Amino acid sequence: DWNMGDFLEKTINEIGQEVRDKKVLCAISGGVDSSVLVVLLNKALGDNVIPVFINNGLLRQNEEINVQKAFEKLGIKINYIDASEIFLSKLKKVKDPEKKRKIIGHTFIDVFRDFVSKLSGVEYLAQGTLYPDVIESVSVKGPSDVIKSHHNVGGLPKDLKFKLIEPFRFLFKDEVRQLARQLNLDDAFINRHPFPGPGLAIRIIGEVTKQKLNILRQADAIILEEIKKSGFYDKVWQAFGVLLDLKSVGVMGDKRTYDYAIVVRVVESLDGMTANWVYLPQEFLNTISTRIINEVQRVNRVVLDISNKPPATIEWE
Ligand code: XMP
């Protein structure tokens, strides 16, 4: 790990020299990348870092609470903005995946801009952009070839005219995790699975509604709980649920049901660029499906995604 230790020291020094006593904004997602970034900036600049956590209403169960607690534990004060209602109203009736992504990206910028307009003396914006984000979002042929318009928290509002700090732009995820270890972050935190900026919106096929978010949150929490209990969590890249935009017939007691289906998606990967679905014990899968169908109202079917990337992608949208 000595080389990441060097990287850390060098980066802290460079940022300190560049920024001096100016202020740096940094959006937090709750993920490893932006969190490591804030901790690193905090080491370099102390209170001159302004971390902002925007709740877009598309987070997993209890995530907004968990993130705030994690930073409290680190002794770093964060600005929390609950913008869920704004995001959900903008997403009303929108079904197209790329439209959803664009709306979420733009709304994020609007909320961020609104927050920024109340500050003064901020010259820099720091982003936890990783190397794979850089190459997957930038196409050689033009914007029409972009695979998915990836949105990371901190997607820069172009007209805000900040100087940009992106210390991880040449790093892969496992290198950021090494940095996190150097910074003495909790293992449970370091090993958190990646979670996309557009959140549950790209795991709910079709229109995003409060009801669907509520269903997916419960199902996803069961998947995560079971995958952690089984020891698979640390062995896989991501494990999550997807809520399909269809209903199917089932039977509960002596009554016919017509309810939603949840997809279980578990993949292994090194960097998210390619991925394989993971072979899981049948008993384990049965536990997950039984629990979801018994515990989550309006779900009567659970299916398993057995597609690799490529040609599928990890997320469904
Ligand atoms: P896909 O679905 O493109 O996902 O195979 C590859 C990896 O990237 C994550 N992902 C995102 N991360 N903003 C992010 O920060 C995004 O817009 C986004 N879209 C996908 C995905 O979870 C997977 O790990």
PDB file of all heavy atoms in Angstrom, residues 101 133 136 147-153 194-198 202-203 237-238 240 271-273 309 312-317, ligand 1:
ATOM      1  N   ARG A 101     -32.351  10.307 -16.191  1.00  0.00           N
ATOM      2  CA  ARG A 101     -30.975  10.661 -15.818  1.00  0.00           C
ATOM      3  C   ARG A 101     -30.709  12.139 -16.007  1.00  0.00           C
ATOM      4  O   ARG A 101     -30.092  12.788 -15.156  1.00  0.00           O
ATOM      5  CB  ARG A 101     -29.979   9.843 -16.651  1.00  0.00           C
ATOM      6  CG  ARG A 101     -29.840   8.395 -16.199  1.00  0.00           C
ATOM      7  CD  ARG A 101     -28.911   7.634 -17.147  1.00  0.00           C
ATOM      8  NE  ARG A 101     -28.542   6.347 -16.582  1.00  0.00           N
ATOM      9  CZ  ARG A 101     -27.524   6.157 -15.744  1.00  0.00           C
ATOM     10  NH1 ARG A 101     -26.744   7.178 -15.417  1.00  0.00           N
ATOM     11  NH2 ARG A 101     -27.261   4.957 -15.262  1.00  0.00           N
ATOM     12  N   ASP A 133     -15.324   6.562 -14.883  1.00  0.00           N
ATOM     13  CA  ASP A 133     -16.353   7.567 -15.199  1.00  0.00           C
ATOM     14  C   ASP A 133     -15.867   8.452 -16.332  1.00  0.00           C
ATOM     15  O   ASP A 133     -16.623   8.840 -17.209  1.00  0.00           O
ATOM     16  CB  ASP A 133     -16.641   8.504 -14.003  1.00  0.00           C
ATOM     17  CG  ASP A 133     -16.967   7.749 -12.744  1.00  0.00           C
ATOM     18  OD1 ASP A 133     -17.469   6.623 -12.862  1.00  0.00           O
ATOM     19  OD2 ASP A 133     -16.706   8.284 -11.655  1.00  0.00           O
ATOM     20  N   GLU A 136     -16.003   6.234 -19.611  1.00  0.00           N
ATOM     21  CA  GLU A 136     -17.308   5.772 -20.095  1.00  0.00           C
ATOM     22  C   GLU A 136     -18.211   6.923 -20.515  1.00  0.00           C
ATOM     23  O   GLU A 136     -19.097   6.750 -21.334  1.00  0.00           O
ATOM     24  CB  GLU A 136     -18.024   4.872 -19.070  1.00  0.00           C
ATOM     25  CG  GLU A 136     -18.141   3.450 -19.594  1.00  0.00           C
ATOM     26  CD  GLU A 136     -19.060   2.542 -18.791  1.00  0.00           C
ATOM     27  OE1 GLU A 136     -20.208   2.930 -18.531  1.00  0.00           O
ATOM     28  OE2 GLU A 136     -18.613   1.444 -18.454  1.00  0.00           O
ATOM     29  N   ILE A 147     -22.790   5.739 -23.566  1.00  0.00           N
ATOM     30  CA  ILE A 147     -23.552   4.534 -23.223  1.00  0.00           C
ATOM     31  C   ILE A 147     -24.719   4.893 -22.311  1.00  0.00           C
ATOM     32  O   ILE A 147     -25.865   4.551 -22.561  1.00  0.00           O
ATOM     33  CB  ILE A 147     -22.629   3.496 -22.553  1.00  0.00           C
ATOM     34  CG1 ILE A 147     -21.456   3.165 -23.496  1.00  0.00           C
ATOM     35  CG2 ILE A 147     -23.415   2.227 -22.209  1.00  0.00           C
ATOM     36  CD1 ILE A 147     -20.306   2.467 -22.844  1.00  0.00           C
ATOM     37  N   LYS A 148     -24.403   5.557 -21.246  1.00  0.00           N
ATOM     38  CA  LYS A 148     -25.429   6.090 -20.360  1.00  0.00           C
ATOM     39  C   LYS A 148     -24.879   7.424 -19.891  1.00  0.00           C
ATOM     40  O   LYS A 148     -23.694   7.544 -19.645  1.00  0.00           O
ATOM     41  CB  LYS A 148     -25.622   5.210 -19.120  1.00  0.00           C
ATOM     42  CG  LYS A 148     -26.210   3.859 -19.382  1.00  0.00           C
ATOM     43  CD  LYS A 148     -26.293   3.072 -18.096  1.00  0.00           C
ATOM     44  CE  LYS A 148     -26.712   1.642 -18.391  1.00  0.00           C
ATOM     45  NZ  LYS A 148     -26.825   0.838 -17.172  1.00  0.00           N
ATOM     46  N   SER A 149     -25.737   8.412 -19.750  1.00  0.00           N
ATOM     47  CA  SER A 149     -25.228   9.694 -19.275  1.00  0.00           C
ATOM     48  C   SER A 149     -25.017   9.611 -17.767  1.00  0.00           C
ATOM     49  O   SER A 149     -25.921   9.881 -17.002  1.00  0.00           O
ATOM     50  CB  SER A 149     -26.188  10.815 -19.634  1.00  0.00           C
ATOM     51  OG  SER A 149     -27.467  10.506 -19.144  1.00  0.00           O
ATOM     52  N   HIS A 150     -23.868   9.150 -17.378  1.00  0.00           N
ATOM     53  CA  HIS A 150     -23.591   8.967 -15.961  1.00  0.00           C
ATOM     54  C   HIS A 150     -23.679  10.268 -15.199  1.00  0.00           C
ATOM     55  O   HIS A 150     -23.213  11.297 -15.647  1.00  0.00           O
ATOM     56  CB  HIS A 150     -22.195   8.357 -15.761  1.00  0.00           C
ATOM     57  CG  HIS A 150     -22.238   6.882 -15.767  1.00  0.00           C
ATOM     58  ND1 HIS A 150     -21.444   6.103 -14.986  1.00  0.00           N
ATOM     59  CD2 HIS A 150     -23.009   6.021 -16.475  1.00  0.00           C
ATOM     60  CE1 HIS A 150     -21.710   4.834 -15.203  1.00  0.00           C
ATOM     61  NE2 HIS A 150     -22.655   4.762 -16.121  1.00  0.00           N
ATOM     62  N   HIS A 151     -24.313  10.160 -14.071  1.00  0.00           N
ATOM     63  CA  HIS A 151     -24.388  11.323 -13.220  1.00  0.00           C
ATOM     64  C   HIS A 151     -23.722  10.990 -11.901  1.00  0.00           C
ATOM     65  O   HIS A 151     -24.123  10.070 -11.209  1.00  0.00           O
ATOM     66  CB  HIS A 151     -25.840  11.718 -12.973  1.00  0.00           C
ATOM     67  CG  HIS A 151     -26.030  12.577 -11.772  1.00  0.00           C
ATOM     68  ND1 HIS A 151     -25.583  13.869 -11.739  1.00  0.00           N
ATOM     69  CD2 HIS A 151     -26.556  12.324 -10.573  1.00  0.00           C
ATOM     70  CE1 HIS A 151     -25.859  14.371 -10.555  1.00  0.00           C
ATOM     71  NE2 HIS A 151     -26.448  13.456  -9.816  1.00  0.00           N
ATOM     72  N   ASN A 152     -22.695  11.719 -11.579  1.00  0.00           N
ATOM     73  CA  ASN A 152     -22.090  11.595 -10.263  1.00  0.00           C
ATOM     74  C   ASN A 152     -22.474  12.815  -9.467  1.00  0.00           C
ATOM     75  O   ASN A 152     -22.679  13.883 -10.019  1.00  0.00           O
ATOM     76  CB  ASN A 152     -20.567  11.537 -10.373  1.00  0.00           C
ATOM     77  CG  ASN A 152     -20.108  10.169 -10.755  1.00  0.00           C
ATOM     78  OD1 ASN A 152     -20.357   9.210 -10.033  1.00  0.00           O
ATOM     79  ND2 ASN A 152     -19.489  10.061 -11.900  1.00  0.00           N
ATOM     80  N   VAL A 153     -22.560  12.653  -8.153  1.00  0.00           N
ATOM     81  CA  VAL A 153     -22.844  13.842  -7.374  1.00  0.00           C
ATOM     82  C   VAL A 153     -21.725  14.816  -7.669  1.00  0.00           C
ATOM     83  O   VAL A 153     -20.583  14.436  -7.839  1.00  0.00           O
ATOM     84  CB  VAL A 153     -22.902  13.559  -5.860  1.00  0.00           C
ATOM     85  CG1 VAL A 153     -24.101  12.712  -5.542  1.00  0.00           C
ATOM     86  CG2 VAL A 153     -21.637  12.965  -5.372  1.00  0.00           C
ATOM     87  N   PRO A 194     -20.856   0.259  -4.721  1.00  0.00           N
ATOM     88  CA  PRO A 194     -21.152   1.503  -5.427  1.00  0.00           C
ATOM     89  C   PRO A 194     -22.671   1.695  -5.529  1.00  0.00           C
ATOM     90  O   PRO A 194     -23.414   0.710  -5.596  1.00  0.00           O
ATOM     91  CB  PRO A 194     -20.577   1.287  -6.828  1.00  0.00           C
ATOM     92  CG  PRO A 194     -19.744   0.059  -6.766  1.00  0.00           C
ATOM     93  CD  PRO A 194     -20.189  -0.730  -5.585  1.00  0.00           C
ATOM     94  N   PHE A 195     -23.090   2.943  -5.528  1.00  0.00           N
ATOM     95  CA  PHE A 195     -24.503   3.261  -5.702  1.00  0.00           C
ATOM     96  C   PHE A 195     -24.587   4.419  -6.691  1.00  0.00           C
ATOM     97  O   PHE A 195     -23.895   5.419  -6.539  1.00  0.00           O
ATOM     98  CB  PHE A 195     -25.116   3.653  -4.352  1.00  0.00           C
ATOM     99  CG  PHE A 195     -26.601   3.881  -4.399  1.00  0.00           C
ATOM    100  CD1 PHE A 195     -27.470   2.817  -4.592  1.00  0.00           C
ATOM    101  CD2 PHE A 195     -27.131   5.157  -4.260  1.00  0.00           C
ATOM    102  CE1 PHE A 195     -28.845   3.019  -4.648  1.00  0.00           C
ATOM    103  CE2 PHE A 195     -28.508   5.368  -4.310  1.00  0.00           C
ATOM    104  CZ  PHE A 195     -29.368   4.290  -4.500  1.00  0.00           C
ATOM    105  N   PRO A 196     -25.393   4.280  -7.729  1.00  0.00           N
ATOM    106  CA  PRO A 196     -25.381   5.291  -8.795  1.00  0.00           C
ATOM    107  C   PRO A 196     -25.978   6.631  -8.365  1.00  0.00           C
ATOM    108  O   PRO A 196     -26.916   6.653  -7.553  1.00  0.00           O
ATOM    109  CB  PRO A 196     -26.245   4.655  -9.893  1.00  0.00           C
ATOM    110  CG  PRO A 196     -27.124   3.686  -9.175  1.00  0.00           C
ATOM    111  CD  PRO A 196     -26.340   3.192  -7.987  1.00  0.00           C
ATOM    112  N   GLY A 197     -25.466   7.711  -8.905  1.00  0.00           N
ATOM    113  CA  GLY A 197     -25.977   9.058  -8.617  1.00  0.00           C
ATOM    114  C   GLY A 197     -27.493   9.182  -8.790  1.00  0.00           C
ATOM    115  O   GLY A 197     -28.167   9.753  -7.937  1.00  0.00           O
ATOM    116  N   PRO A 198     -28.054   8.650  -9.897  1.00  0.00           N
ATOM    117  CA  PRO A 198     -29.509   8.764 -10.076  1.00  0.00           C
ATOM    118  C   PRO A 198     -30.306   7.841  -9.156  1.00  0.00           C
ATOM    119  O   PRO A 198     -31.539   7.823  -9.205  1.00  0.00           O
ATOM    120  CB  PRO A 198     -29.724   8.360 -11.546  1.00  0.00           C
ATOM    121  CG  PRO A 198     -28.374   8.404 -12.176  1.00  0.00           C
ATOM    122  CD  PRO A 198     -27.397   8.109 -11.092  1.00  0.00           C
ATOM    123  N   ILE A 202     -33.134   4.706 -11.437  1.00  0.00           N
ATOM    124  CA  ILE A 202     -32.727   3.851 -12.559  1.00  0.00           C
ATOM    125  C   ILE A 202     -32.865   2.370 -12.206  1.00  0.00           C
ATOM    126  O   ILE A 202     -32.446   1.497 -12.943  1.00  0.00           O
ATOM    127  CB  ILE A 202     -31.311   4.188 -13.064  1.00  0.00           C
ATOM    128  CG1 ILE A 202     -30.267   4.059 -11.960  1.00  0.00           C
ATOM    129  CG2 ILE A 202     -31.280   5.604 -13.653  1.00  0.00           C
ATOM    130  CD1 ILE A 202     -28.820   4.117 -12.481  1.00  0.00           C
ATOM    131  N   ARG A 203     -33.465   2.107 -11.033  1.00  0.00           N
ATOM    132  CA  ARG A 203     -33.779   0.733 -10.641  1.00  0.00           C
ATOM    133  C   ARG A 203     -35.285   0.537 -10.547  1.00  0.00           C
ATOM    134  O   ARG A 203     -35.755  -0.508 -10.116  1.00  0.00           O
ATOM    135  CB  ARG A 203     -33.106   0.391  -9.306  1.00  0.00           C
ATOM    136  CG  ARG A 203     -31.591   0.406  -9.423  1.00  0.00           C
ATOM    137  CD  ARG A 203     -30.891   0.144  -8.115  1.00  0.00           C
ATOM    138  NE  ARG A 203     -29.442   0.148  -8.307  1.00  0.00           N
ATOM    139  CZ  ARG A 203     -28.560   0.053  -7.341  1.00  0.00           C
ATOM    140  NH1 ARG A 203     -28.988  -0.078  -6.091  1.00  0.00           N
ATOM    141  NH2 ARG A 203     -27.272   0.066  -7.599  1.00  0.00           N
ATOM    142  N   TRP A 237     -19.468  -7.205  -6.265  1.00  0.00           N
ATOM    143  CA  TRP A 237     -19.351  -5.779  -6.612  1.00  0.00           C
ATOM    144  C   TRP A 237     -20.611  -5.016  -6.201  1.00  0.00           C
ATOM    145  O   TRP A 237     -20.539  -3.966  -5.587  1.00  0.00           O
ATOM    146  CB  TRP A 237     -19.127  -5.678  -8.124  1.00  0.00           C
ATOM    147  CG  TRP A 237     -19.116  -4.297  -8.688  1.00  0.00           C
ATOM    148  CD1 TRP A 237     -20.150  -3.678  -9.339  1.00  0.00           C
ATOM    149  CD2 TRP A 237     -18.020  -3.370  -8.698  1.00  0.00           C
ATOM    150  NE1 TRP A 237     -19.764  -2.424  -9.751  1.00  0.00           N
ATOM    151  CE2 TRP A 237     -18.463  -2.209  -9.370  1.00  0.00           C
ATOM    152  CE3 TRP A 237     -16.698  -3.404  -8.205  1.00  0.00           C
ATOM    153  CZ2 TRP A 237     -17.648  -1.093  -9.571  1.00  0.00           C
ATOM    154  CZ3 TRP A 237     -15.895  -2.284  -8.405  1.00  0.00           C
ATOM    155  CH2 TRP A 237     -16.360  -1.157  -9.070  1.00  0.00           C
ATOM    156  N   GLN A 238     -21.757  -5.598  -6.546  1.00  0.00           N
ATOM    157  CA  GLN A 238     -23.032  -4.974  -6.187  1.00  0.00           C
ATOM    158  C   GLN A 238     -24.122  -6.032  -6.014  1.00  0.00           C
ATOM    159  O   GLN A 238     -24.083  -7.070  -6.679  1.00  0.00           O
ATOM    160  CB  GLN A 238     -23.505  -4.010  -7.283  1.00  0.00           C
ATOM    161  CG  GLN A 238     -22.949  -2.608  -7.152  1.00  0.00           C
ATOM    162  CD  GLN A 238     -23.252  -1.752  -8.356  1.00  0.00           C
ATOM    163  OE1 GLN A 238     -23.003  -2.158  -9.479  1.00  0.00           O
ATOM    164  NE2 GLN A 238     -23.790  -0.565  -8.138  1.00  0.00           N
ATOM    165  N   PHE A 240     -28.435  -5.768  -5.476  1.00  0.00           N
ATOM    166  CA  PHE A 240     -29.545  -4.831  -5.291  1.00  0.00           C
ATOM    167  C   PHE A 240     -30.805  -5.354  -5.948  1.00  0.00           C
ATOM    168  O   PHE A 240     -30.789  -6.357  -6.664  1.00  0.00           O
ATOM    169  CB  PHE A 240     -29.178  -3.450  -5.851  1.00  0.00           C
ATOM    170  CG  PHE A 240     -28.775  -3.429  -7.308  1.00  0.00           C
ATOM    171  CD1 PHE A 240     -29.724  -3.311  -8.319  1.00  0.00           C
ATOM    172  CD2 PHE A 240     -27.426  -3.509  -7.661  1.00  0.00           C
ATOM    173  CE1 PHE A 240     -29.342  -3.274  -9.660  1.00  0.00           C
ATOM    174  CE2 PHE A 240     -27.040  -3.471  -9.003  1.00  0.00           C
ATOM    175  CZ  PHE A 240     -27.993  -3.357 -10.000  1.00  0.00           C
ATOM    176  N   ASP A 271     -14.107  -3.276 -11.888  1.00  0.00           N
ATOM    177  CA  ASP A 271     -14.176  -1.823 -12.041  1.00  0.00           C
ATOM    178  C   ASP A 271     -15.515  -1.349 -12.592  1.00  0.00           C
ATOM    179  O   ASP A 271     -15.672  -0.177 -12.927  1.00  0.00           O
ATOM    180  CB  ASP A 271     -13.049  -1.358 -12.971  1.00  0.00           C
ATOM    181  CG  ASP A 271     -13.025  -2.148 -14.274  1.00  0.00           C
ATOM    182  OD1 ASP A 271     -14.056  -2.762 -14.613  1.00  0.00           O
ATOM    183  OD2 ASP A 271     -11.980  -2.155 -14.942  1.00  0.00           O
ATOM    184  N   GLY A 272     -16.482  -2.246 -12.715  1.00  0.00           N
ATOM    185  CA  GLY A 272     -17.791  -1.858 -13.225  1.00  0.00           C
ATOM    186  C   GLY A 272     -17.867  -1.820 -14.749  1.00  0.00           C
ATOM    187  O   GLY A 272     -18.942  -1.679 -15.314  1.00  0.00           O
ATOM    188  N   MET A 273     -16.727  -1.947 -15.409  1.00  0.00           N
ATOM    189  CA  MET A 273     -16.720  -1.862 -16.878  1.00  0.00           C
ATOM    190  C   MET A 273     -17.227  -3.158 -17.510  1.00  0.00           C
ATOM    191  O   MET A 273     -17.873  -3.145 -18.552  1.00  0.00           O
ATOM    192  CB  MET A 273     -15.304  -1.574 -17.391  1.00  0.00           C
ATOM    193  CG  MET A 273     -14.652  -0.391 -16.717  1.00  0.00           C
ATOM    194  SD  MET A 273     -15.073   1.143 -17.523  1.00  0.00           S
ATOM    195  CE  MET A 273     -14.001   1.040 -18.926  1.00  0.00           C
ATOM    196  N   LYS A 309     -22.268  -8.316 -18.163  1.00  0.00           N
ATOM    197  CA  LYS A 309     -21.952  -7.061 -18.857  1.00  0.00           C
ATOM    198  C   LYS A 309     -20.601  -7.188 -19.538  1.00  0.00           C
ATOM    199  O   LYS A 309     -19.629  -7.460 -18.828  1.00  0.00           O
ATOM    200  CB  LYS A 309     -21.927  -5.904 -17.874  1.00  0.00           C
ATOM    201  CG  LYS A 309     -21.441  -4.585 -18.521  1.00  0.00           C
ATOM    202  CD  LYS A 309     -21.287  -3.448 -17.549  1.00  0.00           C
ATOM    203  CE  LYS A 309     -20.831  -2.192 -18.269  1.00  0.00           C
ATOM    204  NZ  LYS A 309     -20.719  -1.031 -17.394  1.00  0.00           N
ATOM    205  N   ALA A 312     -25.331  -6.945 -21.383  1.00  0.00           N
ATOM    206  CA  ALA A 312     -26.229  -6.187 -20.494  1.00  0.00           C
ATOM    207  C   ALA A 312     -25.390  -5.140 -19.765  1.00  0.00           C
ATOM    208  O   ALA A 312     -24.156  -5.182 -19.812  1.00  0.00           O
ATOM    209  CB  ALA A 312     -26.906  -7.115 -19.496  1.00  0.00           C
ATOM    210  N   THR A 313     -26.021  -4.203 -19.098  1.00  0.00           N
ATOM    211  CA  THR A 313     -25.293  -3.329 -18.184  1.00  0.00           C
ATOM    212  C   THR A 313     -25.646  -3.776 -16.769  1.00  0.00           C
ATOM    213  O   THR A 313     -26.536  -4.612 -16.581  1.00  0.00           O
ATOM    214  CB  THR A 313     -25.651  -1.841 -18.393  1.00  0.00           C
ATOM    215  OG1 THR A 313     -27.063  -1.692 -18.352  1.00  0.00           O
ATOM    216  CG2 THR A 313     -25.108  -1.335 -19.719  1.00  0.00           C
ATOM    217  N   ILE A 314     -24.944  -3.231 -15.787  1.00  0.00           N
ATOM    218  CA  ILE A 314     -25.204  -3.633 -14.403  1.00  0.00           C
ATOM    219  C   ILE A 314     -26.560  -3.094 -13.961  1.00  0.00           C
ATOM    220  O   ILE A 314     -27.438  -3.841 -13.532  1.00  0.00           O
ATOM    221  CB  ILE A 314     -24.083  -3.142 -13.466  1.00  0.00           C
ATOM    222  CG1 ILE A 314     -22.745  -3.809 -13.848  1.00  0.00           C
ATOM    223  CG2 ILE A 314     -24.451  -3.440 -12.009  1.00  0.00           C
ATOM    224  CD1 ILE A 314     -21.538  -3.311 -13.071  1.00  0.00           C
ATOM    225  N   GLU A 315     -26.755  -1.801 -14.100  1.00  0.00           N
ATOM    226  CA  GLU A 315     -28.054  -1.197 -13.807  1.00  0.00           C
ATOM    227  C   GLU A 315     -28.986  -1.502 -14.974  1.00  0.00           C
ATOM    228  O   GLU A 315     -28.538  -1.791 -16.077  1.00  0.00           O
ATOM    229  CB  GLU A 315     -27.902   0.320 -13.642  1.00  0.00           C
ATOM    230  CG  GLU A 315     -26.867   0.759 -12.596  1.00  0.00           C
ATOM    231  CD  GLU A 315     -27.298   0.461 -11.171  1.00  0.00           C
ATOM    232  OE1 GLU A 315     -28.489   0.177 -10.954  1.00  0.00           O
ATOM    233  OE2 GLU A 315     -26.427   0.502 -10.274  1.00  0.00           O
ATOM    234  N   TRP A 316     -30.280  -1.374 -14.723  1.00  0.00           N
ATOM    235  CA  TRP A 316     -31.246  -1.675 -15.791  1.00  0.00           C
ATOM    236  C   TRP A 316     -31.546  -0.473 -16.666  1.00  0.00           C
ATOM    237  O   TRP A 316     -32.190  -0.599 -17.704  1.00  0.00           O
ATOM    238  CB  TRP A 316     -32.537  -2.232 -15.173  1.00  0.00           C
ATOM    239  CG  TRP A 316     -32.455  -3.721 -14.952  1.00  0.00           C
ATOM    240  CD1 TRP A 316     -31.450  -4.400 -14.324  1.00  0.00           C
ATOM    241  CD2 TRP A 316     -33.403  -4.710 -15.376  1.00  0.00           C
ATOM    242  NE1 TRP A 316     -31.705  -5.747 -14.318  1.00  0.00           N
ATOM    243  CE2 TRP A 316     -32.913  -5.967 -14.954  1.00  0.00           C
ATOM    244  CE3 TRP A 316     -34.625  -4.653 -16.036  1.00  0.00           C
ATOM    245  CZ2 TRP A 316     -33.592  -7.156 -15.195  1.00  0.00           C
ATOM    246  CZ3 TRP A 316     -35.307  -5.838 -16.271  1.00  0.00           C
ATOM    247  CH2 TRP A 316     -34.790  -7.079 -15.860  1.00  0.00           C
ATOM    248  N   GLU A 317     -31.164   0.714 -16.222  1.00  0.00           N
ATOM    249  CA  GLU A 317     -31.439   1.894 -17.044  1.00  0.00           C
ATOM    250  C   GLU A 317     -30.194   2.766 -17.137  1.00  0.00           C
ATOM    251  O   GLU A 317     -29.323   2.705 -16.279  1.00  0.00           O
ATOM    252  CB  GLU A 317     -32.593   2.710 -16.439  1.00  0.00           C
ATOM    253  CG  GLU A 317     -33.930   2.002 -16.543  1.00  0.00           C
ATOM    254  CD  GLU A 317     -35.099   2.922 -16.221  1.00  0.00           C
ATOM    255  OE1 GLU A 317     -34.897   3.914 -15.515  1.00  0.00           O
ATOM    256  OE2 GLU A 317     -36.203   2.635 -16.701  1.00  0.00           O
TER     257      GLU A 317
HETATM  258  P1  XMP B   1     -23.690   0.187 -15.775  1.00  0.00           P
HETATM  259  O1  XMP B   1     -25.148   0.118 -15.490  1.00  0.00           O
HETATM  260  O2  XMP B   1     -23.348   1.274 -16.751  1.00  0.00           O
HETATM  261  O3  XMP B   1     -23.002   0.592 -14.421  1.00  0.00           O
HETATM  262  O4  XMP B   1     -23.114  -1.135 -16.181  1.00  0.00           O
HETATM  263  C1  XMP B   1     -21.619   0.501 -14.189  1.00  0.00           C
HETATM  264  C2  XMP B   1     -21.360   0.950 -12.775  1.00  0.00           C
HETATM  265  O5  XMP B   1     -21.609   2.335 -12.659  1.00  0.00           O
HETATM  266  C3  XMP B   1     -22.638   2.586 -11.715  1.00  0.00           C
HETATM  267  N1  XMP B   1     -23.453   3.650 -12.295  1.00  0.00           N
HETATM  268  C4  XMP B   1     -23.374   4.940 -11.936  1.00  0.00           C
HETATM  269  N2  XMP B   1     -22.628   5.543 -11.000  1.00  0.00           N
HETATM  270  N3  XMP B   1     -23.589   7.594 -11.585  1.00  0.00           N
HETATM  271  C5  XMP B   1     -22.766   6.869 -10.818  1.00  0.00           C
HETATM  272  O6  XMP B   1     -22.112   7.433  -9.949  1.00  0.00           O
HETATM  273  C6  XMP B   1     -24.362   7.058 -12.551  1.00  0.00           C
HETATM  274  O7  XMP B   1     -25.110   7.745 -13.244  1.00  0.00           O
HETATM  275  C7  XMP B   1     -24.244   5.659 -12.726  1.00  0.00           C
HETATM  276  N4  XMP B   1     -24.852   4.789 -13.573  1.00  0.00           N
HETATM  277  C8  XMP B   1     -24.342   3.559 -13.270  1.00  0.00           C
HETATM  278  C9  XMP B   1     -23.384   1.285 -11.556  1.00  0.00           C
HETATM  279  O8  XMP B   1     -24.000   1.191 -10.284  1.00  0.00           O
HETATM  280  C10 XMP B   1     -22.278   0.278 -11.756  1.00  0.00           C
HETATM  281  O9  XMP B   1     -21.519   0.071 -10.586  1.00  0.00           O
END
